[in-house]
Amino acid sequence: MPFVRKYIYIINFITLFLFKTIWNYFRNGNWALFDSFFYALLFVLFYAFATWAWDSKKYEKK
């Protein structure tokens, strides 16, 4: 589990990239690597922002 927590963003990126690339190949007949790359990158950036905002200690009562 520590390995997954340490590399969660990389694992998410690779998984989404491969899934989207393979999905585009079977659906449209092309690889669409550029589209898949940005789709995965935006998802991982949103996920990183959401986890940062959720774990933020700024508004925690003392």
Side-chain angles (χ1 to χ4, degrees):
M1 190 67 174
F3 177 79
V4 173
R5 286 186 185 207
K6 188 174 183 181
Y7 298 109
I8 191 73
Y9 302 115
I10 296 171
I11 292 169
N12 278 343
F13 178 80
I14 292 171
T15 304
L16 284 171
F17 178 74
L18 290 176
F19 176 75
K20 183 78 169 155
T21 303
I22 293 169
W23 181 265
N24 280 335
Y25 180 71
F26 285 118
R27 191 166 184 207
N28 301 328
N30 60 357
W31 290 105
L33 297 174
F34 195 67
D35 179 43
S36 300
F37 176 79
F38 280 110
Y39 176 80
L41 182 65
L42 287 175
F43 183 83
V44 169
L45 289 175
F46 175 76
Y47 179 73
F49 175 75
T51 55
W52 169 78
W54 186 264
D55 294 335
S56 179
K57 305 289 184 201
K58 184 177 181 180
Y59 298 107
E60 188 175 282
K61 291 184 179 180
K62 293 181 181 181

